[in-house]
Amino acid sequence: MPIKSINQDKCTACLQCYKDCPASCFVLNEDKNQVIYDKRQSCILCGHCIAICPHDAINYKNLKDEPITFQGVQNPQELIPYKTLHEFLMAKRSIRQYKKKKVPKNDLDKILNTMRYAPTASNVRSLKCRIISNEKKIKELSEAIVNALLSSPNVPKLYKNVLKRRLDYHDDIIFYEAPHIIIVHSQNLSDMTNATICITYGMLAAQTLGLGTCWIGLAFEVLRSDKKIRTELAGILDKVLGVFTLGYSETKYYRTPPRPPLKVEGLEELD
Ligand SMILES: Cc1cc2nc3c(=O)[nH]c(=O)nc-3n(C[C@H](O)[C@H](O)[C@H](O)COP(=O)(O)O)c2cc1C
């Protein structure tokens, strides 16, 4: 178990780890003045005890990473004002025209580094990413996906006609000739929500680096259901949970399109 114990020389029994642990791994001694790590409980490795301890008193090992402290970690609202974040999100567009330019590996590393901080249910961390950057491979995959969609009895005729029309003005109507596609996969189908959040983190990180992205639900549907395309063309044996394109946008957007308000109930109670 990576969490080993509490360093009692450092611990001031502030009880923060005891109160914050979602798996109730900490107990109090009989006099209720000392916190003890109960090894019999099932730690879910969320690391909250490490994060919350003001005195760095949690002993652990084998977490495959080290805690990081930085200015703003205690007051995240100071890192990014609401208006900046809101406008950043409003300005995010799904990019469907890409420059023929690869993303430097260093920037890909940054995006992947952000993705690993996405929350996961029960703290299970089993997501994997397959990056495909070979132009020929992307084209092959795109064509196989188009053929699968056009021949599928499950795709409505109306939608097939839309796809065919798009073939008139896009060589690649699936990945839009993006220089990279990123496929998130896992052995666990229960990772679906985790993958969705993880991809969203990656897309937002990409935008800070001047890069554009687009969710590719069409590719997801085919890769999820067609074993031959998934294994032979994408080289993935796991379950595919999400797909997005990545690259430099060829376009600019001058305004955020209208978005209707969310249907909300309960807000009026706060008047
Ligand atoms: C789950 C999901 C799947 C999507 N799949 C596709 C897709 O296969 N192809 C595509 O061009 N856009 C796809 N999109 C992008 C949406 O169509 C896009 O969000 C919408 O057009 C609004 O544009 P915006 O993202 O620029 O605001 C998908 C978006 C989501 C969230």
Side-chain angles (χ1 to χ4, degrees), residues 96-214:
R96 298 188 179 91
Q97 298 179 64
Y98 290 97
K99 292 194 167 113
K100 278 201 175 312
K101 181 181 167 189
K102 296 270 186 241
V103 174
K105 188 171 172 295
N106 192 29
D107 282 350
L108 275 160
D109 279 340
K110 284 182 181 165
I111 293 165
L112 296 166
N113 191 26
T114 299
M115 288 167 78
R116 77 187 163 115
Y117 289 100
T120 53
S122 305
N123 221 44
V124 170
R125 303 204 174 264
S126 42
L127 294 176
K128 299 174 215 167
C129 288
R130 159 76 36 108
I131 303 171
I132 305 182
S133 309
N134 179 295
E135 202 180 317
K136 200 166 147 255
K137 271 195 181 164
I138 295 175
K139 196 164 187 282
E140 263 175 21
L141 189 54
S142 171
E143 284 170 3
I145 289 168
V146 172
N147 290 337
L149 289 168
L150 292 180
S151 60
S152 166
N154 301 326
V155 177
K157 196 163 175 242
L158 185 82
Y159 204 73
K160 284 182 183 169
N161 287 339
V162 171
L163 288 175
K164 282 181 196 155
R165 273 207 309 279
R166 275 162 62 176
L167 280 168
D168 290 345
Y169 54 92
H170 265 303
D171 282 345
D172 175 358
I173 61 168
I174 301 298
F175 302 121
Y176 309 106
E177 295 170 82
H180 308 277
I181 60 173
I182 302 183
I183 305 173
V184 176
H185 58 103
S186 164
Q187 282 183 335
N188 307 321
L189 195 55
S190 59
D191 257 333
M192 181 60 88
T193 308
N194 301 334
T196 305
I197 303 170
C198 175
I199 290 175
T200 305
Y201 269 42
M203 289 176 144
L204 297 178
Q207 183 162 288
T208 69
L209 299 168
L211 293 161
T213 56
C214 187

Side-chain angles (χ1 to χ4, degrees), residues 92-94 96 166 176 214-218 259:
K92 183 186 170 301
R93 296 275 68 78
S94 297
R96 298 188 179 91
R166 275 162 62 176
Y176 309 106
C214 187
W215 275 96
I216 308 295
L218 290 175
R259 297 283 184 251

